[in-house]
Amino acid sequence: MNDATHSQGRIFPLSVVIVVLTVIWYAGAVYLNSGQLIDRYNKRSVQWDITQLAADAWSMKRPVLPAPHQVVRELKKTVLDQKVTSKRSLIYHAGVTLSSALLGFVLGTVLGIGLAIGIVYVTTLDRSLMPWIIASQTVPILALAPMIIVVLGSVGITGLFPKSVISMYLCFFPVVVGMVKGLRSPEPMLLDQMHTYYASRAQVFFRLRLPSSIPFLFASLKVAIALSIVGAIVAELPTGGQGGLGARLLTGSYYGQTTMIWAALITASVVSATLVSIVALGERTMLRRLDGGQVARS
Amino acid sequence: MSDNASSSDTVVQIDQLSLDFDTVDGPVHALSGIDLAIREGEFVSLIGPSGCGKTTLLRVIADLEKHSSGKILVNGVSPDQARQDRSYGYVFQAPALYPWRTVTKNVVLPLEIMGLTRSQQQTRAKKYLDLVNLSGFENKYPWQLSGGMQQRVSIARALSVEPQLLLMDEPFGALDEITRDHLNEQLLELWRKTRKTVVFVTHSIPEAVFLSSRVVVMSPRPGRVMDVIECNLPSERTLDIRETPDFLSLAHRVRQGLKAGHSYDDE
Ligand SMILES: Nc1ncnc2c1ncn2[C@@H]1O[C@H](COP(=O)(O)OP(=O)(O)OP(=O)(O)O)[C@@H](O)[C@H]1O
Ligand SMILES: [Mg+2]
């Protein structure tokens, strides 16, 4: 099957899902905003019908749930009609979030791979480290993030890095788990075979363990890259004023600007989805090289 | 006395070798009091029922398993030293190919590890792929080959190290009878050409008798040698020899040896 027919086969179900979601969203906007509106109608004792209600529900200034077209208008206003360097541009804020997320992702991946190598090769690390790594993820990041920012700030580290630390904190976990599994995935027979070749540890690592771990690594990286955005946004909440999608969310909720919140949320998910797709593309390319095109064929 | 027995052309010298595995339900006597001397250029088959320690014995020779007592010399040195000298090639029951490497890249894997130059690697890969009749498949990936072809790649890879000793653990066990017959002929041909010493594990009596200059019959619990049968079949032989009286009487002796170990009925 070639790529063209493949994507054609996907477009139809995808559009159906989008249409259904949009309809539900519009209905939801009417339902959620109706309370406020009906109160207002009653106070002013105006006559109303369902068309009136829908029209009003879809054009409120501070709706509980804004209608899709309001969010689209907000997106147009903050994405297309602004210079990217302006503080009012969502692209600017997305850029702020993206840069700290990416730095955190890279740091987390490096840390995760490093820890995994340690765990696989050093027995004492396997016993001592893994419980801590698991415990680290049971602490709610929302509670931890302000402390990390404050602690790092008090020793003079501010700006991008503290935010990246929070992304890193979320990212390294799936990478450790995936890489440990991946580095241990070669069959005993293949390891015995390396033993008969009198291969050094480094040779076994680079020729056998590392290539065997690549599929596991990429599965983890897809989770990690999405988490890195979550981490960056969470990190921006306590540092409110400095920009980023998290700051937009905070400002939006502060002023009851739900449209602004939704626009930021949608931007965040578009950014995440794009990043995950890029990792998935990298994955496909790597796997194709790893098995000489068997994946590509099937 | 056994010291005198090891002459200069002995490739594998095993004296009173035993091996016990410690398991949760107590020790398993996988090998017990094995005596065996394999001379240069011999083709020796190990045959016996499942669990009699054939793989374990081969793994001791290859330094993949440590014996509990007794003595073993490979090429006159300890198995560990022999492994460091890369003096043997080991063919596993499964092809054990790397899916991300082409046929050639698989064959040169041990050569990369030994640090041969690129051109040496290529020359050897070509030579040994030729020898197992796989020229033309150099750039294919393992999944593009049949099971029999994959096993031949694995044999070419073991040969590429140019060891004097070839250890093979049921290399054709997973293949169908027709492919197996064909590969048996090819292996015999290869042995005639290269005069390697081969230690070959099998379950099949005809396979053992057809290929071997000597058949070692083993029995389980504890794993020990029941009988050693010299097979002096003419060195130029084809599969047809399996119908001859000489062949059949050898096969009969092997079967008797297996029965003497009352192998399957003491479970
Ligand atoms: N790593 C191990 N730990 C414990 N026991 C083992 C181990 N390897 C083998 N054994 C035991 O040693 C005995 C000999 O096993 P081995 O694999 O050598 O048999 P085999 O003759 O090769 O059998 P098969 O023909 O089925 O391959 C068996 O009883 C087996 O259960
Ligand atoms: Mg076996």
Side-chain angles (χ1 to χ4, degrees), chain A residues 103-151:
Chain A
L103 179 59
F105 172 72
V106 170
L107 293 175
T109 303
V110 170
L111 176 67
I113 293 176
L115 285 173
I117 293 172
I119 287 170
V120 168
Y121 278 97
V122 186
T123 328
T124 48
L125 285 187
D126 183 18
R127 298 231 186 84
S128 57
L129 223 47
M130 215 47 193
W132 289 105
I133 289 171
I134 291 164
S136 77
Q137 300 300 304
T138 61
V139 180
I141 190 67
L142 216 53
L144 204 62
M147 294 205 296
I148 294 177
I149 305 276
V150 169
V151 167

Side-chain angles (χ1 to χ4, degrees), chain A residues 234-256:
Chain A
V234 168
E236 283 158 357
L237 295 178
T239 59
Q242 298 175 2
L245 293 173
R248 290 291 280 194
L249 289 175
L250 199 69
T251 323
S253 66
Y254 202 74
Y255 297 106

Side-chain angles (χ1 to χ4, degrees), chain B residues 48-254:
Chain B
S50 189
C52 70
K54 306 180 292 293
T55 298
T56 307
L57 183 55
L58 209 61
R59 287 174 63 88
V60 171
I61 299 172
D63 191 40
L64 289 168
E65 220 77 72
K66 293 270 176 266
H67 55 287
S68 316
S69 65
K71 272 204 301 195
I72 173 166
L73 290 178
V74 179
N75 269 353
V77 292
S78 69
D80 178 45
Q81 185 59 46
R83 180 172 64 91
Q84 291 183 36
D85 300 340
R86 274 119 176 176
S87 43
Y88 68 83
Y90 197 107
V91 179
F92 290 84
Q93 186 160 4
L97 301 176
Y98 289 28
W100 57 86
R101 284 173 171 251
T102 61
V103 165
T104 299
K105 291 289 274 173
N106 264 291
V107 172
V108 301
L109 173 70
L111 309 181
E112 283 176 11
I113 287 168
M114 290 163 67
L116 263 61
T117 66
R118 218 162 254 277
S119 71
Q120 283 173 314
Q121 291 175 18
Q122 292 307 315
T123 321
R124 286 210 195 170
K126 200 188 158 333
K127 176 173 172 195
Y128 291 103
L129 283 171
D130 263 356
L131 206 61
V132 297
N133 292 328
L134 274 180
S135 9
F137 293 90
E138 290 86 352
N139 297 318
K140 294 266 187 277
Y141 284 87
W143 58 272
Q144 296 171 311
L145 306 181
S146 71
M149 291 159 96
Q150 292 182 10
Q151 199 52 278
R152 266 143 67 200
V153 176
S154 137
I155 292 171
R157 179 179 53 189
L159 290 172
S160 73
V161 179
E162 304 197 329
Q164 182 40 46
L165 175 61
L166 207 52
L167 307 173
M168 306 176 94
D169 190 0
E170 296 190 52
F172 311 137
L175 303 175
D176 65 86
E177 185 117 13
I178 299 165
T179 313
R180 190 181 184 139
D181 280 352
H182 185 62
L183 290 184
N184 276 340
E185 278 188 312
Q186 284 192 348
L187 180 60
L188 189 67
E189 178 65 26
L190 200 128
W191 176 65
R192 251 201 312 262
K193 272 192 219 156
T194 60
R195 283 292 151 187
K196 304 248 178 239
T197 313
V198 183
V199 186
F200 186 91
V201 169
T202 179
H203 271 132
S204 153
I205 297 174
E207 185 174 63
V209 175
F210 176 68
L211 289 172
S212 312
S213 42
R214 257 191 322 156
V215 177
V216 175
V217 182
M218 295 178 67
S219 85
R221 278 172 296 268
R224 59 195 186 277
V225 173
M226 288 302 294
D227 196 3
V228 179
I229 296 153
E230 297 276 344
C231 303
N232 292 314
L233 294 170
S235 74
E236 295 284 330
R237 53 188 184 260
T238 61
L239 287 168
D240 297 333
I241 203 167
R242 293 186 300 190
E243 321 291 329
T244 63
D246 278 355
F247 185 96
L248 292 173
S249 82
L250 285 169
H252 179 74
R253 257 198 78 188
V254 174

Side-chain angles (χ1 to χ4, degrees), chain A residues 36-51:
Chain A
Q36 256 187 61
L37 285 171
I38 291 169
D39 272 357
R40 205 185 300 164
Y41 292 147
N42 289 344
K43 237 182 255 166
R44 300 182 195 159
S45 37
V46 278
Q47 290 293 322
W48 60 276
D49 57 12
I50 188 75
T51 24

Side-chain angles (χ1 to χ4, degrees), chain A residues 189-200 203 207-208 211-212 288-295 297, chain B residues 59 62-64 83-84 86 88 90 92 94-101 109-110 112-113 141 143 157 161:
Chain A
M189 199 207 305
L190 292 181
L191 292 167
D192 279 346
Q193 189 179 55
M194 277 298 196
H195 189 73
T196 68
Y197 296 155
Y198 194 55
S200 69
Q203 288 170 326
R207 287 187 171 71
L208 179 57
S212 307
R288 203 168 294 180
R289 285 184 54 181
L290 273 184
D291 68 1
Q294 190 174 16
V295 164
R297 201 189 56 142
Chain B
R59 287 174 63 88
D63 191 40
L64 289 168
R83 180 172 64 91
Q84 291 183 36
R86 274 119 176 176
Y88 68 83
Y90 197 107
F92 290 84
L97 301 176
Y98 289 28
W100 57 86
R101 284 173 171 251
L109 173 70
E112 283 176 11
I113 287 168
Y141 284 87
W143 58 272
R157 179 179 53 189
V161 179

Side-chain angles (χ1 to χ4, degrees), chain A residues 1 3 5 19 47 55 63 77 106 128 136 146 148 163 177 184 188 221 253 268 278 290:
Chain A
M1 191 185 277
D3 278 358
T5 56
V19 168
Q47 290 293 322
K77 200 177 85 192
V106 170
S128 57
S136 77
I148 294 177
K163 294 201 294 175
V177 174
R184 285 186 178 150
L221 289 185
S253 66
I278 292 171
L290 273 184

